[in-house]
Amino acid sequence: MLQNSKAFSSFSVDDVQKAKDFYQGVLGIEVKDNPMGVIELIISGSSNVLLYPKPNHVPATFTVLNFPVENIDQAADELIAKGIKFEIYNEEYFKTDSKGISRGNGGPNIAWFRDPAGNILSILETN
């Protein structure tokens, strides 16, 4: 029934203008204003992502948006230079390095960071 639907993702933020400034100004993503008070992230080669305001917003406790990158160290360094702080995990079975990159934990090299609303985003190495 839905196999031909053009699905898209969405998640809430507590301040649309802060989100717009972050996604456009810091991450360099094209952002489109929507007349309904929401914004759309224009993701090349993918469906747009809708961000909507929610007065009682609670940040997601899981990754809401993943950005595949060819070189995670280069991408992390560029984001750190723009003020991004990556999450550091030091669990018994799950660790990140001092930069915040998880390496060799059974999946791709990946690093998590938060948007201004506290939602979790990631960069993950594709090669």
Side-chain angles (χ1 to χ4, degrees), residues 55-72:
N56 59 346
H57 167 77
V58 175
T61 58
F62 52 87
T63 308
V64 297
L65 193 56
N66 296 285
F67 295 99
V69 297
E70 289 183 21
N71 183 317
I72 196 163

Side-chain angles (χ1 to χ4, degrees), residues 36-113:
M36 298 184 316
V38 301
I39 58 173
E40 290 181 62
L41 305 181
I42 311 302
I43 309 292
S44 178
S46 185
S47 296
N48 294 353
V49 178
L50 187 72
L51 277 60
Y52 57 91
K54 187 175 178 195
N56 59 346
H57 167 77
V58 175
T61 58
F62 52 87
T63 308
V64 297
L65 193 56
N66 296 285
F67 295 99
V69 297
E70 289 183 21
N71 183 317
I72 196 163
D73 287 289
Q74 180 182 350
D77 289 343
E78 289 175 14
L79 290 170
I80 289 168
K82 291 183 173 203
I84 297 295
K85 294 184 188 320
F86 286 94
E87 300 291 307
I88 302 294
Y89 297 103
N90 192 18
E91 307 298 323
E92 183 178 351
Y93 297 102
F94 185 76
K95 298 184 184 312
T96 56
D97 62 20
S98 61
K99 197 183 283 188
I101 300 172
S102 169
R103 303 173 196 270
N105 282 308
N109 292 340
I110 185 168
W112 294 270
F113 61 103

Side-chain angles (χ1 to χ4, degrees), residues 7-20:
F8 65 93
S9 180
S10 66
F11 55 91
S12 70
V13 296
D14 56 354
D15 186 314
V16 171
Q17 187 59 51
K18 279 185 183 176
K20 182 179 180 179

